[in-house]
C-alpha cells in the first residue's frame, strides 16, 4: 500500500520538501552496525520513491554521514535534493559531545567543512544542533544570515529550542523551520512551542517520530538506545504497554505500528514534516507506505485516548543531554 509522497513547505519562507523526510543519522551506526553500500542503497531508494529531504548533521559519526550522503548523491542531480544540516557539537575522540559551539567563527568554519564533505556549493537548510548558552542566539543566527547573503546557505533552521529563543532568532532573520522531537510519546511541543512557530510562520521538522524504535521497532536497545531512559527497566515495560494499545487501530488501517505513528505526526498539520530514520531498505518501504494511511478527526481522538499526552515514562534523553535542550527549559 503506497501513495505519492506529500509535498509541504517549511514555514512561510522555506523550501518545498517531501513528507516524510529521510533522517540519515542511523546510516552511520547510531543504532547498530551499518554497511556503507547498503546505506547508499537506502538513500537511493528514498530518492527513487520521489523523496527530496535528507537530514544530517556534521557530527554524525564525525563527518562520516556527510561523506556517505555525498557518495549517494554523486550520481544524482543535486538540485533535486534538499539538504538539511545541523552543526555545532563539540567532539572529542571516544567521548560523547562536550557541548555546542555557536560562535560566528565556528559557524563559518563548520559550514566550510560540510560543503567539502558533502561535495556541494551550498546547503539548503543550516541549523545549530543545540543552543550554545554562552553565545546569544542573535549572533549565531546572524552569522548564518551572512552565509545566506553569500549564497552558501539557502535557509535558516533551528533545533530543540524553546519559544523565547525562537522569537529572538526570528527577529534577526527569517527562520524556515524548527527541528524538534515530536511523536505519540513525545508531545512537549504542544504546550507552547508549536503555537509560537505557527504564529511566526515557522514549520516543524519532527524527528524521533518512532521514539527511537519504541514504536514499531525491533525492540533492541543497540547503540544510543541503550542510554535512553525510556528503554530502561520499568520505563520500558510501561512504554511497551502503551505502544501495544495501538495495535488494534493499526490493524484496522492495514498499517504497521510504525506507519500509524508516522501518519499521526503528518496529520497534526500541513506545517509539520515527519523526518524518519532508516538504515534498511524495508524501512524505507514502510516509511513511504505511511503516506497511504489516512487519519480523520475520530481517529486522532481515539489515538489521544489510547496514548494521552505525557503518558510515556522516562526522559527522551539521558540527563546530561537533557540539560542541553533549551526546548525543555520552563
Amino acid at each position: 500500500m503506497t501513495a505519492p509522497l506529500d509535498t509541504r513547505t517549511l514555514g512561510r519562507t522555506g523550501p518545498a520538501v517531501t513528507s516524510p523526510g529521510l533522517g540519515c543519522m542511523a546510516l552511520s551506526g547510531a543504532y547498530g552496525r551499518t554497511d556503507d553500500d547498503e546505506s547508499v542503497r537506502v538513500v537511493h531508494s528514498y530518492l527513487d520513491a520521489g523523496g527530496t529531504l535528507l537530514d544530517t548533521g556534521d557530527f554524525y559519526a564525525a563527518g562520516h554521514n556527510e561523506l556517505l550522503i555525498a557518495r549517494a548523491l554523486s550520481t544524482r542531480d543535486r538540485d533535486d535534493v534538499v539538504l538539511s544540516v545541523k552543526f555545532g557539537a563539540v567532539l572529542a575522540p571516544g567521548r560523547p559531545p562536550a557541548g555546542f559551539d555557536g560562535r560566528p567563527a565556528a559557524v563559518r568554519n563548520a559550514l566550510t567543512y560540510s560543503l567539502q564533505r558533502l561535495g556541494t556549493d551550498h546547503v539548503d537548510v543550516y541549523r545549530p544542533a543545540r543552543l550554545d548558552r554562552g553565545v546569544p542566539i542573535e549572533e549565531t543566527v546572524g552569522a548564518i544570515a551572512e552565509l545566506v547573503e553569500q549564497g552558501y546557505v539557502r535557509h535558516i533552521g533551528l533545533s530543540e529550542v524553546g519559544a523565547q529563543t525562537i522569537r529572538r532568532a526570528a527577529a534577526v532573520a527569517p527562520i524556515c523551520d524548527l527541528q524538534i522531537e515530536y511523536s505519540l510519546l513525545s508531545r512537549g511541543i504542544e504546550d507552547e512551542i508549536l503555537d509560537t512557530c505557527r504564529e511566526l510562520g515557522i514549520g516543524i521538522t519532527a524527528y524521533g517520530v518512532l521514539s527511537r524504535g519504541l514504536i514499531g521497532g525491533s525492540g533492541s536497545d543497540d547503540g544510543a538506545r541503550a542510554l535512553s531512559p525510556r528503554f530502561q527497566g520499568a520505563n520500558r515495560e510501561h512504554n511497551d504497554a502503551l505502544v501495544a494499545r495501538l495495535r488494534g487501530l493499526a490493524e484496522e488501517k492495514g498499517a504497521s505500528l510504525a506507519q500509524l505513528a508516522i501518519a499521526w505526526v503528518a496529520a497534526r498539520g500541513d506545517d509539520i514534516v515527519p523526518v524518519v530514520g532508516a538504515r534498511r531498505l524495508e524501512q524505507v518501504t514502510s516509511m513511504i507506505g505511511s503516506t497511504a494511511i489516512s487519519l480523520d478527526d475520530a481517529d486522532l481522538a481515539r489515538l489521544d485516548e489510547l496514548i494521552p499526552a505525557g503518558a510515556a515514562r522516562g526522559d527522551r534523553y539521558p540527563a546530561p543531554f537533557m540539560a542541553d535542550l533549551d526546548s525543555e527549559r520552563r
Side-chain angles (χ1 to χ4, degrees), residues 132-145:
D132 180 347
R133 300 195 190 283
V135 178
I137 189 63
E138 290 86 351
E139 293 185 13
T140 303
V141 169
I144 306 175

Side-chain angles (χ1 to χ4, degrees), residues 184 187 246 248-250 252-253 260 264 267-268 293-307:
L184 281 161
R187 298 178 60 173
L246 302 174
L249 181 56
E252 291 176 20
K253 294 292 182 179
L260 182 65
W264 179 85
R268 302 304 288 181
I293 311 304
S294 177
L295 300 177
D296 59 23
D297 289 344
D299 294 323
L300 295 176
R302 182 175 170 186
L303 285 164
D304 280 343
E305 293 177 357
L306 292 171
I307 303 183

Side-chain angles (χ1 to χ4, degrees), residues 12-87:
R12 293 175 188 155
T13 63
V17 300
T18 51
S19 175
L22 178 64
C24 297
M25 182 175 70
L27 298 174
S28 292
Y31 298 115
R33 291 185 178 181
T34 54
D35 173 82
D36 282 359
D37 290 341
E38 176 72 358
S39 294
V40 168
R41 287 191 287 271
V42 165
V43 175
H44 285 173
S45 178
Y46 172 72
L47 298 176
D48 289 342
T52 63
L53 177 59
L54 300 180
D55 182 80
T56 185
D58 64 6
F59 50 93
Y60 290 172
H64 171 270
N65 203 244
E66 290 182 321
L67 292 169
L68 184 69
I69 290 173
R71 176 182 164 190
L73 296 184
S74 64
T75 58
R76 303 301 174 109
D77 187 338
R78 167 68 181 87
D79 292 336
D80 291 339
V81 178
V82 176
L83 287 176
S84 172
V85 180
K86 291 180 289 296
F87 70 90

Side-chain angles (χ1 to χ4, degrees), residues 193-216:
I193 291 172
L194 183 56
D195 285 344
T196 298
C197 286
R198 285 175 168 165
E199 174 191 337
L200 299 173
I202 296 171
I204 298 288
T205 42
Y207 75 91
V209 173
L210 304 181
S211 293
R212 295 166 185 80
L214 272 174
I215 306 175

Side-chain angles (χ1 to χ4, degrees), residues 26-269:
L27 298 174
S28 292
Y31 298 115
R33 291 185 178 181
T34 54
D35 173 82
D36 282 359
D37 290 341
E38 176 72 358
S39 294
V40 168
R41 287 191 287 271
V42 165
V43 175
H44 285 173
S45 178
Y46 172 72
L47 298 176
D48 289 342
T52 63
L53 177 59
L54 300 180
D55 182 80
T56 185
D58 64 6
F59 50 93
Y60 290 172
H64 171 270
N65 203 244
E66 290 182 321
L67 292 169
L68 184 69
I69 290 173
R71 176 182 164 190
L73 296 184
S74 64
T75 58
R76 303 301 174 109
D77 187 338
R78 167 68 181 87
D79 292 336
D80 291 339
V81 178
V82 176
L83 287 176
S84 172
V85 180
K86 291 180 289 296
F87 70 90
V90 178
L91 304 181
R95 305 180 70 176
F100 297 87
D101 192 344
R103 295 171 301 147
V107 174
R108 293 186 285 268
N109 183 68
L111 180 65
T112 302
Y113 279 99
S114 283
L115 294 175
Q116 179 66 26
R117 284 189 293 260
L118 288 165
T120 185
D121 62 357
H122 73 280
V123 297
D124 299 284
V125 184
Y126 202 50
R127 70 182 83 246
R130 298 289 186 269
L131 178 69
D132 180 347
R133 300 195 190 283
V135 178
I137 189 63
E138 290 86 351
E139 293 185 13
T140 303
V141 169
I144 306 175
E146 291 179 0
L147 295 168
V148 171
E149 293 176 358
Q150 295 164 6
Y152 297 115
V153 172
R154 296 290 188 263
H155 305 278
I156 304 172
L158 298 171
S159 178
E160 286 289 358
V161 291
Q164 291 185 2
T165 302
I166 293 167
R167 291 186 184 281
R168 288 171 55 191
V172 175
I175 305 297
C176 72
D177 74 313
L178 169 70
Q179 188 170 113
I180 195 164
E181 187 165 353
Y182 190 38
S183 74
L184 281 161
L185 299 183
S186 297
R187 298 178 60 173
I189 71 170
E190 295 175 359
D191 294 337
E192 182 181 16
I193 291 172
L194 183 56
D195 285 344
T196 298
C197 286
R198 285 175 168 165
E199 174 191 337
L200 299 173
I202 296 171
I204 298 288
T205 42
Y207 75 91
V209 173
L210 304 181
S211 293
R212 295 166 185 80
L214 272 174
I215 306 175
S218 65
S220 69
D221 59 359
D222 296 338
R225 282 186 289 253
L227 302 175
S228 172
R230 291 187 175 178
F231 279 82
Q232 296 173 2
N235 288 347
R236 175 65 187 270
E237 294 177 7
H238 172 84
N239 294 331
D240 282 346
L242 284 178
V243 172
R245 299 177 183 177
L246 302 174
R247 296 191 184 281
L249 181 56
E251 290 174 1
E252 291 176 20
K253 294 292 182 179
S256 68
L257 291 178
Q259 288 172 332
L260 182 65
I262 298 167
W264 179 85
V265 172
R268 302 304 288 181

